Amino acid sequence: MPKFEKIEYKPIPVRALLLEMKNISELMIDLAYSAALFNDKELAEDVIELEERTDTLAYLLDIEIMIAARDAKDAESLIGVSTVAAAADKISDAAADIAAIVTRNIGIHPIIGEIFEKVEERLMKVTVNEGSVIAGKRIEDLDLAARMGVDIIAIRRNKDWILDPQDDERVFRGDTLITRGAPMGIKEFKDLAEGKLRELEE
Amino acid sequence: MPKFEKIEYKPIPVRALLLEMKNISELMIDLAYSAALFNDKELAEDVIELEERTDTLAYLLDIEIMIAARDAKDAESLIGVSTVAAAADKISDAAADIAAIVTRNIGIHPIIGEIFEKVEERLMKVTVNEGSVIAGKRIEDLDLAARMGVDIIAIRRNKDWILDPQDDERVFRGDTLITRGAPMGIKEFKDLAEGKLRELEE
Protein backbone atom coordinates (compact mmCIF):
# COMPACT_ATOMS: atom_id res chain seq x y z
CA MET A 1 0.00 0.00 0.00
CA PRO A 2 1.56 3.33 -1.02
CA LYS A 3 1.80 5.84 1.77
CA PHE A 4 -0.86 8.56 2.13
CA GLU A 5 -3.31 6.59 0.01
CA LYS A 6 -6.84 7.52 0.97
CA ILE A 7 -8.53 4.62 2.73
CA GLU A 8 -11.94 4.09 1.26
CA TYR A 9 -14.69 3.92 3.83
CA LYS A 10 -17.14 1.07 3.67
CA PRO A 11 -19.23 0.04 6.64
CA ILE A 12 -17.90 -3.05 8.43
CA PRO A 13 -19.36 -4.16 11.76
CA VAL A 14 -17.30 -3.04 14.77
CA ARG A 15 -17.24 -6.63 16.00
CA ALA A 16 -15.62 -7.90 12.79
CA LEU A 17 -13.04 -5.11 12.77
CA LEU A 18 -12.08 -5.63 16.39
CA LEU A 19 -11.85 -9.41 16.02
CA GLU A 20 -9.62 -9.05 12.98
CA MET A 21 -7.38 -6.57 14.79
CA LYS A 22 -7.03 -8.90 17.75
CA ASN A 23 -6.30 -11.92 15.57
CA ILE A 24 -3.80 -10.08 13.40
CA SER A 25 -1.95 -8.64 16.38
CA GLU A 26 -1.54 -12.10 17.90
CA LEU A 27 -0.42 -13.63 14.63
CA MET A 28 2.06 -10.78 14.20
CA ILE A 29 3.73 -11.54 17.53
CA ASP A 30 4.20 -15.17 16.52
CA LEU A 31 5.47 -14.22 13.08
CA ALA A 32 7.82 -11.56 14.46
CA TYR A 33 9.38 -14.01 16.94
CA SER A 34 9.85 -16.55 14.17
CA ALA A 35 11.27 -13.93 11.82
CA ALA A 36 13.82 -12.93 14.47
CA LEU A 37 14.63 -16.52 15.42
CA PHE A 38 15.28 -17.61 11.85
CA ASN A 39 16.43 -14.20 10.59
CA ASP A 40 13.71 -14.60 7.95
CA LYS A 41 13.36 -11.38 5.98
CA GLU A 42 10.29 -12.45 4.04
CA LEU A 43 8.39 -13.27 7.22
CA ALA A 44 9.54 -9.96 8.72
CA GLU A 45 8.18 -8.13 5.68
CA ASP A 46 4.84 -9.90 6.13
CA VAL A 47 4.73 -8.60 9.69
CA ILE A 48 5.38 -5.05 8.57
CA GLU A 49 2.67 -5.36 5.93
CA LEU A 50 0.23 -6.66 8.54
CA GLU A 51 1.07 -3.63 10.65
CA GLU A 52 -0.25 -1.43 7.84
CA ARG A 53 -3.37 -3.54 7.71
CA THR A 54 -3.87 -3.03 11.46
CA ASP A 55 -3.52 0.72 11.02
CA THR A 56 -6.21 0.65 8.34
CA LEU A 57 -8.49 -1.42 10.58
CA ALA A 58 -7.89 0.97 13.48
CA TYR A 59 -8.88 3.88 11.23
CA LEU A 60 -12.06 2.17 10.04
CA LEU A 61 -12.92 1.15 13.60
CA ASP A 62 -12.56 4.71 14.86
CA ILE A 63 -15.01 5.85 12.20
CA GLU A 64 -17.51 3.10 13.04
CA ILE A 65 -17.30 3.91 16.74
CA MET A 66 -17.88 7.60 16.11
CA ILE A 67 -20.90 6.84 13.96
CA ALA A 68 -22.27 4.39 16.52
CA ALA A 69 -22.03 6.81 19.42
CA ARG A 70 -25.13 9.00 19.34
CA ASP A 71 -24.94 10.27 22.91
CA ALA A 72 -22.73 10.20 26.00
CA LYS A 73 -24.13 6.87 27.14
CA ASP A 74 -23.28 5.19 23.83
CA ALA A 75 -19.85 6.78 23.88
CA GLU A 76 -19.15 5.55 27.41
CA SER A 77 -20.09 2.01 26.52
CA LEU A 78 -17.83 2.13 23.45
CA ILE A 79 -14.75 3.41 25.29
CA GLY A 80 -13.83 -0.17 26.24
CA VAL A 81 -14.01 -1.25 22.61
CA SER A 82 -11.74 1.54 21.47
CA THR A 83 -9.33 0.71 24.32
CA VAL A 84 -9.08 -2.90 23.17
CA ALA A 85 -8.53 -1.72 19.58
CA ALA A 86 -5.77 0.63 20.71
CA ALA A 87 -4.19 -2.23 22.66
CA ALA A 88 -4.24 -4.48 19.57
CA ASP A 89 -2.63 -1.62 17.65
CA LYS A 90 0.14 -1.29 20.28
CA ILE A 91 0.79 -5.02 20.14
CA SER A 92 1.04 -4.93 16.38
CA ASP A 93 3.45 -1.98 16.60
CA ALA A 94 5.61 -3.99 19.00
CA ALA A 95 5.65 -6.92 16.58
CA ALA A 96 6.60 -4.63 13.71
CA ASP A 97 9.47 -3.20 15.80
CA ILE A 98 10.83 -6.73 16.27
CA ALA A 99 10.39 -7.48 12.58
CA ALA A 100 12.29 -4.30 11.71
CA ILE A 101 15.39 -5.71 13.45
CA VAL A 102 15.40 -8.29 10.66
CA THR A 103 14.48 -6.10 7.69
CA ARG A 104 16.95 -3.38 8.70
CA ASN A 105 19.78 -5.89 9.11
CA ILE A 106 20.40 -4.69 12.66
CA GLY A 107 21.54 -8.21 13.38
CA ILE A 108 20.07 -10.84 15.64
CA HIS A 109 22.06 -10.78 18.87
CA PRO A 110 22.51 -14.35 20.21
CA ILE A 111 20.39 -13.43 23.24
CA ILE A 112 17.37 -12.79 21.02
CA GLY A 113 17.73 -16.21 19.45
CA GLU A 114 17.98 -17.84 22.89
CA ILE A 115 14.88 -16.05 24.12
CA PHE A 116 12.73 -17.04 21.16
CA GLU A 117 14.15 -20.53 20.92
CA LYS A 118 12.34 -21.47 24.10
CA VAL A 119 9.20 -21.57 22.00
CA GLU A 120 8.92 -25.31 21.57
CA GLU A 121 6.33 -25.24 18.92
CA ARG A 122 7.58 -23.69 15.74
CA LEU A 123 5.96 -21.67 13.03
CA MET A 124 6.69 -22.39 9.40
CA LYS A 125 5.68 -20.69 6.19
CA VAL A 126 4.72 -23.20 3.53
CA THR A 127 3.61 -22.62 -0.07
CA VAL A 128 1.19 -25.04 -1.72
CA ASN A 129 2.73 -26.14 -5.01
CA GLU A 130 0.96 -27.30 -8.14
CA GLY A 131 0.53 -31.03 -7.94
CA SER A 132 0.55 -31.16 -4.14
CA VAL A 133 -1.97 -33.65 -2.76
CA ILE A 134 -3.32 -31.03 -0.38
CA ALA A 135 -4.25 -28.51 -3.13
CA GLY A 136 -8.02 -28.07 -3.31
CA LYS A 137 -8.63 -29.98 -0.06
CA ARG A 138 -10.59 -28.78 2.95
CA ILE A 139 -8.54 -28.29 6.11
CA GLU A 140 -10.74 -30.80 7.95
CA ASP A 141 -10.03 -33.44 5.28
CA LEU A 142 -6.30 -33.05 5.85
CA ASP A 143 -6.75 -34.04 9.50
CA LEU A 144 -3.45 -32.34 10.27
CA ALA A 145 -3.75 -32.17 14.04
CA ALA A 146 -4.18 -35.93 14.40
CA ARG A 147 -1.82 -36.93 11.58
CA MET A 148 1.17 -34.77 12.37
CA GLY A 149 0.31 -32.33 15.13
CA VAL A 150 0.19 -29.37 12.77
CA ASP A 151 -2.22 -26.45 12.81
CA ILE A 152 -2.75 -23.95 9.99
CA ILE A 153 -3.01 -20.61 11.75
CA ALA A 154 -3.23 -18.37 8.70
CA ILE A 155 -3.53 -18.51 4.92
CA ARG A 156 -2.04 -15.89 2.63
CA ARG A 157 -3.97 -15.90 -0.64
CA ASN A 158 -2.86 -13.36 -3.21
CA LYS A 159 -2.84 -10.15 -1.18
CA ASP A 160 -5.31 -11.32 1.47
CA TRP A 161 -4.84 -13.00 4.81
CA ILE A 162 -7.31 -15.54 6.15
CA LEU A 163 -6.65 -15.69 9.87
CA ASP A 164 -7.51 -18.69 12.00
CA PRO A 165 -9.16 -20.45 9.02
CA GLN A 166 -12.26 -22.57 9.60
CA ASP A 167 -12.19 -26.35 9.11
CA ASP A 168 -14.22 -26.15 5.90
CA GLU A 169 -11.82 -23.65 4.29
CA ARG A 170 -9.96 -25.11 1.31
CA VAL A 171 -6.29 -24.62 0.56
CA PHE A 172 -5.32 -23.85 -3.03
CA ARG A 173 -2.23 -23.97 -5.18
CA GLY A 174 -0.23 -20.81 -4.59
CA ASP A 175 -1.56 -20.30 -1.06
CA THR A 176 1.03 -19.55 1.55
CA LEU A 177 0.17 -21.25 4.82
CA ILE A 178 1.46 -20.24 8.23
CA THR A 179 1.61 -23.44 10.22
CA ARG A 180 2.35 -24.17 13.83
CA GLY A 181 3.51 -27.47 15.21
CA ALA A 182 6.38 -29.59 16.44
CA PRO A 183 9.44 -29.36 14.12
CA MET A 184 9.02 -32.93 12.77
CA GLY A 185 5.33 -32.43 11.97
CA ILE A 186 5.73 -29.15 10.15
CA LYS A 187 8.65 -30.53 8.14
CA GLU A 188 6.42 -33.39 6.99
CA PHE A 189 3.61 -30.97 6.17
CA LYS A 190 5.99 -28.77 4.18
CA ASP A 191 6.98 -31.77 2.07
CA LEU A 192 3.31 -32.56 1.47
CA ALA A 193 2.47 -28.98 0.50
CA GLU A 194 5.45 -28.74 -1.82
CA GLY A 195 4.55 -32.02 -3.49
CA LYS A 196 7.65 -33.92 -2.33
CA LEU A 197 5.56 -36.26 -0.24
CA ARG A 198 2.34 -37.73 -1.63
CA GLU A 199 1.16 -39.67 1.40
CA LEU A 200 -2.38 -38.30 1.57
CA GLU A 201 -3.26 -40.11 -1.67
CA GLU A 202 -3.35 -43.56 -0.14
CA MET B 1 5.15 -1.17 45.02
CA PRO B 2 4.78 2.47 46.07
CA LYS B 3 5.35 4.98 43.30
CA PHE B 4 8.72 6.69 42.94
CA GLU B 5 10.42 4.06 45.04
CA LYS B 6 14.08 3.88 44.07
CA ILE B 7 14.78 0.61 42.29
CA GLU B 8 17.83 -1.00 43.75
CA TYR B 9 20.38 -2.01 41.16
CA LYS B 10 21.79 -5.48 41.31
CA PRO B 11 23.46 -7.11 38.34
CA ILE B 12 21.20 -9.60 36.51
CA PRO B 13 22.23 -11.11 33.18
CA VAL B 14 20.64 -9.37 30.19
CA ARG B 15 19.44 -12.74 28.93
CA ALA B 16 17.48 -13.45 32.13
CA LEU B 17 15.95 -9.96 32.17
CA LEU B 18 14.86 -10.14 28.55
CA LEU B 19 13.43 -13.64 28.90
CA GLU B 20 11.43 -12.61 31.96
CA MET B 21 10.11 -9.52 30.16
CA LYS B 22 9.04 -11.61 27.19
CA ASN B 23 7.36 -14.25 29.35
CA ILE B 24 5.59 -11.71 31.55
CA SER B 25 4.30 -9.73 28.57
CA GLU B 26 2.80 -12.87 27.03
CA LEU B 27 1.25 -13.98 30.30
CA MET B 28 -0.18 -10.48 30.74
CA ILE B 29 -2.01 -10.63 27.42
CA ASP B 30 -3.63 -13.93 28.39
CA LEU B 31 -4.53 -12.64 31.85
CA ALA B 32 -5.89 -9.35 30.49
CA TYR B 33 -8.15 -11.15 28.00
CA SER B 34 -9.43 -13.42 30.75
CA ALA B 35 -9.93 -10.49 33.11
CA ALA B 36 -12.01 -8.71 30.47
CA LEU B 37 -13.94 -11.83 29.49
CA PHE B 38 -14.93 -12.69 33.06
CA ASN B 39 -14.92 -9.09 34.34
CA ASP B 40 -12.47 -10.37 36.98
CA LYS B 41 -11.10 -7.44 38.97
CA GLU B 42 -8.54 -9.45 40.90
CA LEU B 43 -7.01 -10.83 37.71
CA ALA B 44 -7.01 -7.32 36.23
CA GLU B 45 -5.14 -6.04 39.28
CA ASP B 46 -2.55 -8.79 38.83
CA VAL B 47 -2.03 -7.58 35.26
CA ILE B 48 -1.50 -4.02 36.41
CA GLU B 49 0.96 -5.19 39.04
CA LEU B 50 2.86 -7.19 36.43
CA GLU B 51 3.05 -4.05 34.34
CA GLU B 52 5.00 -2.40 37.16
CA ARG B 53 7.29 -5.42 37.26
CA THR B 54 7.92 -5.07 33.51
CA ASP B 55 8.79 -1.40 33.98
CA THR B 56 11.33 -2.35 36.65
CA LEU B 57 12.82 -5.03 34.40
CA ALA B 58 13.03 -2.55 31.52
CA TYR B 59 14.89 -0.13 33.78
CA LEU B 60 17.35 -2.78 34.96
CA LEU B 61 17.85 -4.01 31.39
CA ASP B 62 18.63 -0.50 30.15
CA ILE B 63 21.34 -0.21 32.81
CA GLU B 64 22.82 -3.62 31.95
CA ILE B 65 22.87 -2.76 28.26
CA MET B 66 24.61 0.55 28.91
CA ILE B 67 27.22 -1.16 31.05
CA ALA B 68 27.73 -3.91 28.47
CA ALA B 69 28.28 -1.53 25.57
CA ARG B 70 31.91 -0.44 25.65
CA ASP B 71 32.14 0.84 22.10
CA ALA B 72 30.01 1.52 19.04
CA LYS B 73 30.27 -2.09 17.86
CA ASP B 74 28.93 -3.43 21.16
CA ALA B 75 26.20 -0.82 21.14
CA GLU B 76 25.13 -1.73 17.61
CA SER B 77 24.88 -5.39 18.46
CA LEU B 78 22.80 -4.58 21.53
CA ILE B 79 20.28 -2.38 19.72
CA GLY B 80 18.29 -5.46 18.74
CA VAL B 81 18.10 -6.55 22.36
CA SER B 82 16.84 -3.19 23.52
CA THR B 83 14.30 -3.17 20.68
CA VAL B 84 12.91 -6.53 21.81
CA ALA B 85 12.76 -5.27 25.40
CA ALA B 86 10.92 -2.14 24.29
CA ALA B 87 8.49 -4.33 22.33
CA ALA B 88 7.80 -6.49 25.40
CA ASP B 89 7.20 -3.28 27.34
CA LYS B 90 4.69 -2.06 24.72
CA ILE B 91 2.88 -5.39 24.83
CA SER B 92 2.66 -5.25 28.60
CA ASP B 93 1.32 -1.67 28.40
CA ALA B 94 -1.35 -2.85 25.99
CA ALA B 95 -2.34 -5.65 28.38
CA ALA B 96 -2.50 -3.18 31.28
CA ASP B 97 -4.76 -0.90 29.19
CA ILE B 98 -7.19 -3.78 28.70
CA ALA B 99 -7.03 -4.67 32.40
CA ALA B 100 -7.79 -1.05 33.28
CA ILE B 101 -11.17 -1.38 31.53
CA VAL B 102 -12.02 -3.84 34.31
CA THR B 103 -10.45 -2.08 37.29
CA ARG B 104 -11.92 1.30 36.31
CA ASN B 105 -15.40 -0.17 35.87
CA ILE B 106 -15.60 1.18 32.33
CA GLY B 107 -17.80 -1.77 31.58
CA ILE B 108 -17.26 -4.71 29.30
CA HIS B 109 -19.10 -4.01 26.07
CA PRO B 110 -20.69 -7.23 24.73
CA ILE B 111 -18.38 -7.01 21.69
CA ILE B 112 -15.32 -7.40 23.92
CA GLY B 113 -16.77 -10.53 25.47
CA GLU B 114 -17.52 -11.97 22.03
CA ILE B 115 -14.00 -11.27 20.81
CA PHE B 116 -12.29 -12.92 23.75
CA GLU B 117 -14.78 -15.75 23.96
CA LYS B 118 -13.38 -17.20 20.75
CA VAL B 119 -10.46 -18.37 22.86
CA GLU B 120 -11.43 -21.99 23.32
CA GLU B 121 -8.93 -22.75 25.97
CA ARG B 122 -9.60 -20.87 29.13
CA LEU B 123 -7.43 -19.47 31.86
CA MET B 124 -8.38 -19.92 35.49
CA LYS B 125 -6.89 -18.66 38.72
CA VAL B 126 -6.83 -21.36 41.37
CA THR B 127 -5.62 -21.17 44.96
CA VAL B 128 -4.13 -24.26 46.62
CA ASN B 129 -5.96 -24.80 49.89
CA GLU B 130 -4.68 -26.46 53.03
CA GLY B 131 -5.52 -30.12 52.82
CA SER B 132 -5.55 -30.25 49.02
CA VAL B 133 -3.98 -33.43 47.65
CA ILE B 134 -1.83 -31.39 45.30
CA ALA B 135 -0.13 -29.32 48.04
CA GLY B 136 3.57 -30.15 48.23
CA LYS B 137 3.55 -32.14 44.98
CA ARG B 138 5.81 -31.64 41.99
CA ILE B 139 4.06 -30.49 38.82
CA GLU B 140 5.32 -33.58 36.98
CA ASP B 141 3.76 -35.83 39.64
CA LEU B 142 0.38 -34.25 39.07
CA ASP B 143 0.49 -35.33 35.42
CA LEU B 144 -2.06 -32.66 34.64
CA ALA B 145 -1.71 -32.57 30.88
CA ALA B 146 -2.52 -36.27 30.50
CA ARG B 147 -5.09 -36.46 33.32
CA MET B 148 -7.21 -33.43 32.53
CA GLY B 149 -5.59 -31.40 29.77
CA VAL B 150 -4.51 -28.66 32.14
CA ASP B 151 -1.29 -26.68 32.11
CA ILE B 152 0.02 -24.49 34.95
CA ILE B 153 1.36 -21.42 33.18
CA ALA B 154 2.30 -19.37 36.24
CA ILE B 155 2.51 -19.61 40.02
CA ARG B 156 1.94 -16.66 42.30
CA ARG B 157 3.75 -17.31 45.59
CA ASN B 158 3.54 -14.53 48.16
CA LYS B 159 4.58 -11.51 46.13
CA ASP B 160 6.54 -13.41 43.49
CA TRP B 161 5.58 -14.82 40.16
CA ILE B 162 7.07 -18.04 38.81
CA LEU B 163 6.42 -17.95 35.08
CA ASP B 164 6.27 -21.07 32.97
CA PRO B 165 7.24 -23.28 35.94
CA GLN B 166 9.46 -26.29 35.36
CA ASP B 167 8.17 -29.84 35.83
CA ASP B 168 10.13 -30.32 39.06
CA GLU B 169 8.66 -27.20 40.67
CA ARG B 170 6.42 -27.97 43.65
CA VAL B 171 3.09 -26.31 44.37
CA PHE B 172 2.41 -25.27 47.96
CA ARG B 173 -0.56 -24.37 50.09
CA GLY B 174 -1.40 -20.73 49.51
CA ASP B 175 0.04 -20.68 45.98
CA THR B 176 -2.15 -19.12 43.36
CA LEU B 177 -1.88 -21.00 40.11
CA ILE B 178 -2.76 -19.61 36.69
CA THR B 179 -3.93 -22.59 34.69
CA ARG B 180 -4.86 -23.02 31.07
CA GLY B 181 -7.02 -25.77 29.67
CA ALA B 182 -10.42 -26.85 28.44
CA PRO B 183 -13.24 -25.61 30.73
CA MET B 184 -14.01 -29.15 32.06
CA GLY B 185 -10.39 -29.87 32.90
CA ILE B 186 -9.69 -26.64 34.72
CA LYS B 187 -12.92 -27.00 36.71
CA GLU B 188 -11.76 -30.43 37.87
CA PHE B 189 -8.31 -29.08 38.71
CA LYS B 190 -9.85 -26.20 40.69
CA ASP B 191 -11.80 -28.73 42.79
CA LEU B 192 -8.58 -30.68 43.40
CA ALA B 193 -6.62 -27.58 44.38
CA GLU B 194 -9.37 -26.36 46.69
CA GLY B 195 -9.62 -29.74 48.35
CA LYS B 196 -13.15 -30.52 47.16
CA LEU B 197 -11.92 -33.41 45.08
CA ARG B 198 -9.37 -35.86 46.46
CA GLU B 199 -8.93 -38.08 43.41
CA LEU B 200 -5.13 -37.94 43.28
CA GLU B 201 -4.95 -39.98 46.49
CA GLU B 202 -6.10 -43.20 44.83
Side-chain angles (χ1 to χ4, degrees):
Chain A
M1 190 172 62
K3 270 181 186 175
F4 311 122
E5 193 189 340
K6 174 105 176 66
I7 297 164
E8 208 179 311
Y9 170 71
K10 49 180 181 198
I12 304 175
V14 169
R15 191 191 164 282
L17 288 167
L18 190 63
L19 184 59
E20 190 177 348
M21 284 187 76
K22 173 182 165 286
N23 286 344
I24 289 186
S25 67
E26 285 169 0
L27 175 68
M28 284 175 69
I29 292 291
D30 284 340
L31 295 182
Y33 286 174
S34 291
L37 180 56
F38 304 118
N39 208 358
D40 182 331
K41 226 167 219 177
E42 215 183 72
L43 213 49
E45 275 157 12
D46 286 342
V47 173
I48 288 162
E49 203 189 285
L50 283 169
E51 212 279 307
E52 287 172 8
R53 171 86 186 137
T54 328
D55 287 344
T56 304
L57 290 170
Y59 171 83
L60 294 174
L61 191 71
D62 278 345
I63 293 180
E64 290 300 336
I65 287 177
M66 280 192 258
I67 294 172
R70 300 274 168 184
D71 54 32
K73 201 171 150 282
D74 284 352
E76 256 181 46
S77 92
L78 285 162
I79 283 289
V81 175
S82 89
T83 304
V84 172
D89 206 9
K90 260 188 203 172
I91 293 170
S92 84
D93 282 350
D97 291 345
I98 294 173
I101 303 173
V102 181
T103 57
R104 285 182 202 154
N105 286 317
I106 289 173
I108 302 301
H109 192 285
I111 288 176
I112 300 175
E114 279 174 48
I115 302 289
F116 294 150
E117 223 158 42
K118 268 212 66 184
V119 184
E120 272 159 52
E121 294 211 316
R122 293 287 174 76
L123 293 192
M124 195 180 272
K125 204 172 156 168
V126 175
T127 301
V128 182
N129 281 347
E130 179 150 21
S132 163
V133 289
I134 72 165
K137 292 232 166 39
R138 279 198 198 87
I139 291 177
E140 63 192 341
D141 297 334
L142 299 175
D143 199 19
L144 295 175
R147 272 176 204 256
M148 49 193 99
V150 167
D151 196 21
I152 298 175
I153 60 172
I155 301 174
R156 178 78 192 261
R157 184 168 298 157
N158 303 318
K159 287 273 138 200
D160 293 325
W161 284 91
I162 301 163
L163 301 176
D164 197 11
Q166 301 290 306
D167 282 349
D168 60 355
E169 184 76 47
R170 286 177 193 274
V171 298
F172 294 109
R173 177 168 58 90
D175 281 358
T176 299
L177 313 175
I178 307 289
T179 57
R180 185 205 301 279
M184 285 261 296
I186 50 177
K187 175 73 183 66
E188 189 186 340
F189 180 66
K190 192 177 165 70
D191 288 344
L192 268 180
E194 292 179 346
K196 290 182 200 151
L197 197 71
R198 310 194 51 82
E199 192 200 354
L200 274 182
E201 284 192 317
E202 102 265 26
Chain B
M1 190 171 63
K3 269 181 184 173
F4 311 122
E5 192 188 343
K6 174 104 176 70
I7 298 163
E8 207 178 313
Y9 170 72
K10 50 180 181 198
I12 305 175
V14 169
R15 190 191 166 282
L17 288 167
L18 190 62
L19 184 59
E20 189 177 349
M21 284 187 77
K22 173 181 164 290
N23 286 344
I24 289 186
S25 66
E26 286 169 0
L27 174 68
M28 284 175 69
I29 292 291
D30 284 341
L31 295 183
Y33 285 174
S34 291
L37 180 55
F38 303 118
N39 209 357
D40 183 331
K41 225 166 219 179
E42 215 182 74
L43 213 49
E45 275 157 13
D46 286 342
V47 173
I48 287 161
E49 202 189 287
L50 282 169
E51 212 279 306
E52 286 173 8
R53 172 86 186 139
T54 327
D55 287 343
T56 304
L57 291 169
Y59 171 84
L60 295 173
L61 191 71
D62 278 345
I63 293 181
E64 290 300 337
I65 287 177
M66 280 192 256
I67 294 172
R70 301 275 169 183
D71 54 32
K73 201 171 148 284
D74 283 352
E76 257 182 46
S77 92
L78 284 163
I79 284 287
V81 174
S82 87
T83 305
V84 172
D89 206 10
K90 260 187 204 173
I91 292 169
S92 83
D93 283 350
D97 291 346
I98 293 173
I101 303 174
V102 181
T103 58
R104 285 184 202 152
N105 285 319
I106 290 174
I108 303 301
H109 192 285
I111 288 176
I112 301 175
E114 279 174 50
I115 302 290
F116 294 149
E117 222 158 42
K118 268 211 66 183
V119 184
E120 271 160 54
E121 294 212 317
R122 293 285 173 78
L123 294 192
M124 196 181 272
K125 204 171 156 170
V126 176
T127 300
V128 182
N129 280 348
E130 180 151 20
S132 163
V133 289
I134 72 166
K137 292 233 165 40
R138 281 198 198 85
I139 291 177
E140 62 192 342
D141 297 334
L142 299 176
D143 200 18
L144 295 175
R147 272 177 204 256
M148 51 194 98
V150 168
D151 196 21
I152 298 176
I153 61 172
I155 301 174
R156 179 78 192 260
R157 183 168 299 156
N158 303 319
K159 287 273 137 199
D160 294 325
W161 284 89
I162 302 165
L163 300 176
D164 198 9
Q166 302 291 305
D167 281 348
D168 60 355
E169 183 76 47
R170 286 177 193 275
V171 297
F172 295 109
R173 178 170 57 90
D175 281 358
T176 300
L177 313 175
I178 307 289
T179 58
R180 186 205 301 279
M184 285 262 295
I186 50 177
K187 175 72 182 65
E188 188 184 341
F189 180 65
K190 192 176 165 70
D191 288 344
L192 267 180
E194 292 179 347
K196 289 180 203 154
L197 197 72
R198 311 192 53 81
E199 192 200 354
L200 274 182
E201 284 193 315
E202 103 266 25

